């Protein structure tokens, strides 16, 4: 177990497309442990492996209704519907928040640490976290998607 320094915006690894995981071994278990420790210390609600400098398709996310952190390896959005604007931030972009448009409901499938199929039907905050983390695997940051608010006079 170890806490990693979170990579911040400007580092190329956050812009690279992360690699698909093909081997489900102890290294993945260890990576997930390290990601969970890091996210807990930083008080985040989601984390993608590139954020600790590992360019692999691995994400973790806080699932509020079960009060636990779930992991998905090689996650893919296979269904999506609705859209809503909501505030986001990111451990890799310290001090910045902004409104981003996301699907309200998504179905995400992938693998667990042992290579078994998993799927999560997500809505609201959990759906938002999953979309944000999956974006990280494509080298996309929430700041790329911020919707400018109308200026009220
Ligand atoms: Co992020």
């Amino acid at each position: 177990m170890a806490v990693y320094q979170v990579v911040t915006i400007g580092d190329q690894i956050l812009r690279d497309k992360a690699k698909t995981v093909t081997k489900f071994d102890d290294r993945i278990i260890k990576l997930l442990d390290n990601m969970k420790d890091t996210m807990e210390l930083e008080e985040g609600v989601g984390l993608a492996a590139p954020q600790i400098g590992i360019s692999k398709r691995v994400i973790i996310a806080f699932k509020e209704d079960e009060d636990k952190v779930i992991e998905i390896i090689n996650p893919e959005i296979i269904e999506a519907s609705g859209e809503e604007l909501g505030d986001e931030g990111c451990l890799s972009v310290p001090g910045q928040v902004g409104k981003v448009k996301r699907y309200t409901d998504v179905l995400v499938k992938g693998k667990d640490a042992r290579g078994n199929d998993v799927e999560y039907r997500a809505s609201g905050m959990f759906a938002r976290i999953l979309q944000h983390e999956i974006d990280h695997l494509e080298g996309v940051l929430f700041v790329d998607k911020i919707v400018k608010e109308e200026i009220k006079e």
Side-chain angles (χ1 to χ4, degrees), residues 51 90 132-133 136:
Q51 291 182 276
C90 178
H132 176 117
E133 301 314 328
H136 273 298

Side-chain angles (χ1 to χ4, degrees), residues 16-131:
D16 292 341
K17 195 173 151 86
K19 291 180 194 70
T20 300
V21 172
T22 53
K23 270 201 271 181
F24 293 85
D25 55 15
D26 287 353
R27 290 170 65 187
I28 291 297
I29 308 271
K30 199 173 161 192
L31 171 61
L32 286 164
D33 280 347
N34 293 340
M35 287 172 66
K36 286 173 186 171
D37 287 351
T38 303
M39 187 176 90
E40 191 180 341
L41 184 87
E42 300 289 343
E43 299 180 334
V45 290
L47 197 72
Q51 291 182 276
I52 60 164
I54 309 289
S55 192
K56 288 184 177 173
R57 303 185 80 79
V58 177
I59 64 168
I60 59 174
F62 181 64
K63 190 170 186 292
E64 199 171 23
D65 61 347
E66 290 186 71
D67 192 30
K68 70 171 189 181
V69 175
I70 61 98
E71 62 215 34
I72 313 178
I73 294 155
N74 303 335
E76 274 181 80
I77 296 170
I78 54 171
E79 284 175 26
S81 61
E83 58 180 34
E84 59 187 24
L85 266 184
D87 289 319
E88 286 186 28
C90 178
L91 294 177
S92 293
V93 190
Q96 196 169 350
V97 292
K99 292 207 184 302
V100 178
K101 194 182 280 184
R102 299 288 188 187
Y103 295 117
T104 309
D105 301 279
V106 291
L107 177 62
V108 175
K109 72 168 193 179
K111 303 281 188 187
D112 68 12
R114 284 166 193 80
N116 301 309
D117 290 334
V118 289
E119 63 175 47
Y120 290 95
R121 201 168 277 284
S123 60
M125 190 60 188
F126 183 45
R128 178 172 295 275
I129 298 168
L130 292 177
Q131 291 167 80

